């Protein structure tokens, strides 16, 4: 948990946001940035606090998986306090922010519902949202974002088939700091729009690779096939099954089926 004052200072000089990143901690190595951010939130750190780690020893993924964070990857968690209504659009805010942060580097990204970001069909970013209800109609959400920036995926055969990194698709060197600065800027921009769920949903739909594709959804072992029809007003995926019926998917793992 050693702080890295030089990197922290550099980032603070380059971040121009007023909410996201107003308190920022850069640590050399942690178990999970999610745990550090949660502790900070419990001790009173404000909304917008960002925790970044050089490496994580026990990074967590969705659905109980582990998340791999070697040097050259970005592990960032941010404390946000949305209302109950806004909460369901945190996946839109976070995935759109990553999508734009990567596109700004000249590398075309895609979003896969609910909040994976891909480059050429391979996963470059995973997002984990953990939340607790708070007094009033609010939640304390810890949004954890892991991005493969510049490490060589080929050295890690366990993830190489399904994952990629930004640098594998860029003609120039991309630094983790550059991605952090873009990402914090985009998080602020999209979080400011969270109450306008209609326009956020339209932007999410327009940039989501999943829509119109033939997919397979795994919901805790329960498998459903069909075509991804749309995202409804609740932020859930609507699957059109082959028998013509629709199924609303609240949580699950989506695979694009080659047709
Ligand atoms: C997924 O399974 O796709 C989600 C991965 C989320 C990883 C990030 S890295 C920063 C934060 N800290 C964690 O332990 N997990 C999230």
């Amino acid at each position: 948990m050693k702080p890295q004052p030089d990197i922290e200072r550099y980032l603070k000089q380059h971040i121009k946001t007023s909410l996201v990143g107003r308190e920022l901690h850069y640590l050399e190595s942690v178990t999970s940035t999610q745990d550090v951010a949660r502790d900070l939130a419990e001790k009173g750190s404000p909304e917008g606090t960002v925790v970044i780690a050089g490496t994580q020893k026990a990074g967590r993924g969705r659905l109980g998986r582990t998340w791999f964070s070697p040097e050259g990857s970005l592990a960032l968690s941010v404390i946000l306090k949305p209302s109950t209504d806004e909460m369901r659009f945190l996946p839109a805010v976070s995935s759109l922010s990553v999508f734009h942060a990567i596109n700004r580097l000249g590398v075309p990204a895609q979003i896969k519902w609910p909040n994976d970001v891909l480059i050429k069909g391979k996963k470059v970013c995973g997002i984990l949202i953990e939340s607790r209800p708070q007094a009033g109609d609010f939640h304390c959400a810890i949004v954890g974002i892991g991005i493969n920036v510049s490490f060589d995926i080929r050295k890690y055969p366990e993830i190489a088939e399904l994952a990629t990194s930004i640098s594998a698709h860029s003609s120039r060197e991309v630094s983790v700091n550059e991605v952090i600065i873009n990402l914090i800027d985009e998080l602020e921009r999209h979080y400011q729009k969270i109450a306008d769920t209609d326009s956020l949903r339209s932007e999410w739909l327009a940039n989501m690779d999943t829509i119109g594709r033939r997919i397979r959804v795994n919901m805790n072992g329960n498998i459903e096939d069909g075509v991804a029809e749309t995202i409804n007003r609740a932020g859930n995926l609507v699957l059109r099954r082959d028998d013509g019926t629709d199924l609303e998917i609240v949580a699950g793992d989506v695979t694009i089926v080659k047709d």
Side-chain angles (χ1 to χ4, degrees):
M1 283 268 287
K2 216 163 98 203
Q4 296 274 279
D6 291 348
I7 305 181
E8 219 173 81
R9 206 171 310 118
Y10 174 86
L11 291 171
K12 284 176 182 165
Q13 272 165 8
H14 287 81
I15 288 166
K16 305 277 177 260
T17 46
S18 50
L19 180 86
V20 179
R22 63 177 157 163
E23 184 179 315
L24 185 140
H25 304 266
Y26 191 106
L27 305 161
E28 188 183 333
S29 173
V30 296
T31 50
S32 161
T33 52
Q34 292 294 94
D35 298 335
V36 180
R38 165 131 302 129
D39 284 353
L40 285 168
E42 276 163 11
K43 289 186 186 125
S45 282
E47 180 174 44
T49 296
V50 166
V51 177
I52 305 165
T55 59
Q56 295 186 116
K57 294 192 216 77
R60 287 199 294 281
R62 285 175 65 229
L63 311 169
R65 299 189 188 118
T66 55
W67 180 261
F68 188 55
S69 303
E71 228 173 278
S73 66
L74 164 59
L76 176 150
S77 296
V78 55
I79 302 171
L80 295 175
K81 302 205 170 164
S83 69
T84 301
D85 272 355
E86 293 165 352
M87 201 42 223
R88 49 209 169 94
F89 277 89
L90 272 190
V93 165
S94 43
S95 58
L96 278 167
S97 301
V98 174
F99 167 83
H100 285 291
I102 295 177
N103 282 348
R104 273 161 71 161
L105 302 166
V107 176
Q110 305 120 23
I111 299 171
K112 186 180 84 162
W113 187 88
N115 47 17
D116 280 351
V117 181
L118 317 178
I119 300 174
K120 293 203 171 146
K122 289 191 167 188
K123 181 158 167 166
V124 69
C125 164
I127 297 170
L128 174 70
I129 300 172
E130 297 176 316
S131 69
R132 281 185 196 163
Q134 291 221 302
D137 190 27
F138 287 89
H139 294 257
C140 178
I142 312 291
V143 178
I145 301 176
I147 305 181
N148 306 331
V149 179
S150 59
F151 70 92
D152 186 353
I153 293 274
R154 289 169 304 183
K155 289 191 184 144
Y156 304 93
E158 61 276 33
I159 59 168
E161 206 176 306
L162 298 173
T164 191
S165 66
I166 297 176
S167 60
H169 302 271
S170 172
S171 49
R172 62 170 182 88
E173 290 248 320
V174 175
S175 73
V176 175
N177 286 348
E178 189 179 0
V179 179
I180 294 169
I181 293 161
N182 283 356
L183 178 60
I184 288 180
D185 191 49
E186 292 292 344
L187 279 168
E188 172 121 337
R189 190 162 78 87
H190 287 90
Y191 189 58
Q192 275 166 351
K193 299 192 284 195
I194 197 167
D196 187 359
T197 53
D198 276 348
S199 86
L200 203 54
R201 180 169 150 263
S202 307
E203 190 185 349
W204 204 26
L205 270 170
N207 294 302
M208 192 171 294
D209 187 51
T210 321
I211 303 305
R213 309 281 297 269
R214 184 149 191 94
I215 59 168
R216 168 161 294 175
V217 192
N218 184 339
M219 291 158 291
N220 246 331
N222 176 18
I223 312 281
E224 291 277 355
D225 288 314
V227 174
E229 194 69 4
T230 191
I231 306 293
N232 64 16
R233 291 216 139 72
N236 298 328
L237 180 70
V238 179
L239 178 81
R240 171 73 47 91
R241 297 185 183 105
D242 294 339
D243 66 4
T245 57
D246 283 347
L247 178 70
E248 181 179 6
I249 317 273
V250 178
D253 222 15
V254 169
T255 318
I256 311 278
V257 178
K258 299 234 180 320
D259 35 13

